[in-house]
Amino acid sequence: MLLKKSFFVLFIKMFGVVLQFLAIFMLTNNAAEEIYGKFSFLNSILIVVGALCLLGMNNSFLQFSGKLQAENKFSFLKTLYRKNVVILAMVYLALVAVYILIAYVLDFTYFKDSIKNIYNYIFLALFPYSLSILNFQVLRGINLLFMSEFSSNVFRYGGLFLLVFLLWYFQSFDLLIKCYVILFWVLSIITTTIIIFHLSKLELTKQINLDELSYKKIIRISFPMSFSLISLLIMQSFDVFIIERYLSFEYVAFYSSAIKITTGIGLILTTINSVIAPDLSKLFFSRRQEELKKLIEESTMLNFYLTVPLVFLIYIFSGDILNLFGPNYTQATLALKIMVVAQVLNAFCGSVGYYLNMTGKENAYLKMLLLALALNIVLNLLLIPKYGIEGAASATGLSLILWNFIGVIYIYKKDKIGVFIFSKKILRLLSN
């Protein structure tokens, strides 16, 4: 069942990746490198600020969903979703107020006109972007896995491809960022409509203590997940920020293309996580330990067998793959190889982050990521000025490996579950 679901979800995700790469190829081969650099910069900042806006509710919804299903209180997801949207709207307004204060009232020197213009569009896109990300997980949490994947991959990247194609046809790439903002508004409206329709069909099955779904409890569970995600995203985005400061938007474009390629490796683990996430929570809170161990073991092995061939292909043909973006993009070949090695070790560690978040260990996960984030910031500041994008790839790779290895050890000590690919063999050797 896991294999069948995973392959189907992987197919949808791969289709989304193809659409995304086709859009990027059209951009990098037809638009000015500065335009693609600004587009990449906007995406990097939007992802981080979006995580702050979400407060981790996109991940906590899955934990709540699993617990409510285990307790036969699934219909109360209506209340949970409504409160999540209210919290999201309030946080968004607060972030907009802070931005206006910093950029316009205090007029910080960082916000020069060119940067301020990009940030204006970031905040115009922030609410629909955050709502869309929340909706993708909500669809998964209400057992609409394939609709979730279709929305987050086909709708989203199909829309991006159509947008870039039209901009290419009319030779209007200067409208890229404006149209990209509109795309998220459309996506958020479509996904919200689908969720409201399906939630309206859920019938009340059992009474629930309102404190179980209070605003306070939602924020208490979500908050550590928020900062875990923000820490993770800063590790993935801080390098882009420093590259822009020390080098140029052109190098942001080269490095971002290498990052996009490595997502193919992480995509496999993301696919498996998206399939098992609700079950992780449900099995853990139902205390079905043996079923949980079996699920982790199957998912880890599946990830290993699917990842290894892809890793070799990307590593060997890294220069040729980057050349598809344009001849200048081959400057990121060594950076890509460094990131591929780091992604291999990440894949071998299995579903560390998802397991910790879905089983109530979000605070421990946050501490691991904060430690890795501190290492990431220090290494980026030290290595990028001296080694450029290769230094950025090394800093991000080392911090990724650190928190994964710490997580593997913590999970085994806490729950006696091995999430690393070779856990069983290692434990057998130690026992002998």
Side-chain angles (χ1 to χ4, degrees):
M1 188 66 175
L2 174 62
L3 184 63
K4 184 179 178 180
K5 273 188 176 182
S6 296
F7 272 118
F8 196 77
V9 171
L10 183 60
F11 174 77
I12 298 175
K13 283 186 179 292
M14 288 302 296
F15 186 60
V17 168
V18 169
L19 291 171
Q20 184 185 19
F21 270 83
L22 286 173
I24 292 171
F25 289 152
M26 291 185 71
L27 276 175
T28 55
N29 285 282
N30 295 281
E33 290 168 352
E34 185 179 2
I35 290 177
Y36 180 61
K38 288 180 178 179
F39 176 72
S40 299
F41 182 81
L42 178 141
N43 270 307
S44 296
I45 302 300
L46 183 60
I47 289 169
V48 176
V49 182
L52 182 59
C53 192
L54 280 162
L55 284 183
M57 292 183 294
N58 52 325
N59 288 318
S60 69
F61 191 94
L62 292 177
Q63 187 188 118
F64 276 111
S65 167
K67 290 174 72 174
L68 290 172
Q69 194 166 0
E71 297 167 3
N72 195 27
K73 299 173 182 176
F74 202 59
S75 59
F76 286 91
L77 290 178
K78 297 179 190 178
T79 303
L80 178 62
Y81 180 64
R82 187 186 73 247
K83 291 185 175 182
N84 280 356
V85 174
V86 170
I87 295 170
L88 178 63
M90 297 303 292
V91 175
Y92 169 71
L93 292 174
L95 289 174
V96 169
V98 171
Y99 169 64
I100 292 172
L101 176 65
I102 293 174
Y104 288 91
V105 178
L106 299 179
D107 196 22
F108 276 27
T109 53
Y110 169 72
F111 289 99
K112 52 191 177 185
D113 290 340
S114 59
I115 289 291
K116 190 182 292 184
N117 187 49
I118 296 176
Y119 274 95
N120 288 342
Y121 284 113
I122 288 171
F123 279 90
L124 283 173
L126 180 58
F127 182 76
Y129 167 82
S130 302
L131 182 58
S132 297
I133 299 300
L134 172 64
N135 287 346
F136 298 154
Q137 295 291 60
V138 170
L139 287 167
R140 186 173 292 121
I142 60 177
N143 296 325
L144 294 174
L145 174 62
F146 299 130
M147 179 57 71
S148 169
E149 295 301 329
F150 199 80
S151 300
S152 61
N153 292 284
V154 181
F155 284 176
R156 180 179 179 181
Y157 297 121
L160 176 62
F161 173 73
L162 179 61
L163 167 63
V164 173
F165 177 80
L166 291 173
L167 293 176
W168 167 79
Y169 184 80
F170 292 105
Q171 288 299 296
S172 301
F173 285 111
D174 55 315
L175 298 175
L176 174 63
I177 291 177
K178 292 179 183 177
C179 295
Y180 192 58
V181 172
I182 296 172
L183 176 63
F184 277 115
W185 279 102
V186 173
L187 185 61
S188 64
I189 291 169
I190 292 173
T191 52
T192 301
T193 303
I194 294 170
I195 288 168
I196 291 173
F197 173 75
H198 282 277
L199 286 178
S200 66
K201 296 193 294 184
L202 291 178
E203 295 181 2
L204 191 67
T205 54
K206 195 173 182 180
Q207 290 298 319
I208 190 172
N209 184 348
L210 291 179
D211 289 338
E212 292 184 49
L213 291 179
S214 65
Y215 285 106
K216 183 178 179 180
K217 182 166 185 179
I218 292 171
I219 293 173
R220 182 173 60 81
I221 298 294
S222 303
F223 205 63
M225 294 186 186
S226 170
F227 277 93
S228 293
L229 182 58
I230 290 169
S231 299
L232 194 57
L233 292 173
I234 290 175
M235 278 188 272
Q236 297 170 352
S237 304
F238 187 73
D239 45 9
V240 172
F241 177 79
I242 300 299
I243 290 169
E244 186 274 328
R245 300 304 292 173
Y246 281 95
L247 302 174
S248 66
F249 277 119
E250 284 78 10
Y251 277 96
V252 171
F254 303 151
Y255 184 72
S256 296
S257 298
I259 292 174
K260 291 292 183 186
I261 294 169
T262 60
T263 58
I265 302 169
L267 181 67
I268 296 171
L269 182 58
T270 303
T271 298
I272 295 169
N273 283 339
S274 66
V275 173
I276 69 172
D279 290 331
L280 283 177
S281 178
K282 183 171 69 176
L283 292 174
F284 180 82
F285 289 107
S286 300
R287 302 183 185 281
R288 291 148 67 181
Q289 187 79 352
E290 290 306 312
E291 290 178 62
L292 181 60
K293 284 183 178 180
K294 185 180 178 183
L295 180 64
I296 291 293
E297 184 181 330
E298 288 179 355
S299 64
T300 303
M301 292 303 297
L302 180 61
N303 181 55
F304 174 76
Y305 288 125
L306 292 177
T307 298
V308 171
L310 184 61
V311 166
F312 279 113
L313 285 173
I314 293 176
Y315 191 89
I316 293 169
F317 298 105
S318 53
D320 297 312
I321 296 170
L322 282 166
N323 193 50
L324 295 173
F325 293 88
N328 289 336
Y329 287 80
T330 55
Q331 295 181 55
T333 300
L334 181 55
L336 173 57
K337 288 183 176 181
I338 294 169
M339 286 188 281
V340 165
V341 173
Q343 281 290 346
V344 172
L345 295 172
N346 174 44
F348 285 5
C349 289
S351 306
V352 172
Y354 261 82
Y355 181 89
L356 292 168
N357 271 338
M358 293 302 105
T359 58
K361 300 175 184 66
E362 56 274 359
N363 287 310
Y365 184 41
L366 174 59
K367 292 174 184 176
M368 296 172 201
L369 289 180
L370 288 175
L371 177 63
L373 175 59
L375 176 67
N376 179 268
I377 291 172
V378 171
L379 289 178
N380 271 304
L381 290 172
L382 290 174
L383 298 179
I384 290 176
K386 189 172 182 179
Y387 300 106
I389 57 177
E390 289 80 15
S394 301
T396 300
L398 287 170
S399 54
L400 177 66
I401 293 167
L402 175 67
W403 72 259
N404 268 283
F405 280 174
I406 294 174
V408 166
I409 295 167
Y410 178 84
I411 291 169
Y412 180 73
K413 285 189 173 181
K414 193 77 175 176
D415 294 338
K416 302 303 177 189
I417 289 180
V419 295
F420 190 70
I421 181 63
F422 302 117
S423 293
K424 250 188 167 181
K425 291 182 179 179
I426 293 170
L427 292 174
R428 194 180 295 120
L429 287 171
L430 290 174
S431 63
N432 291 333

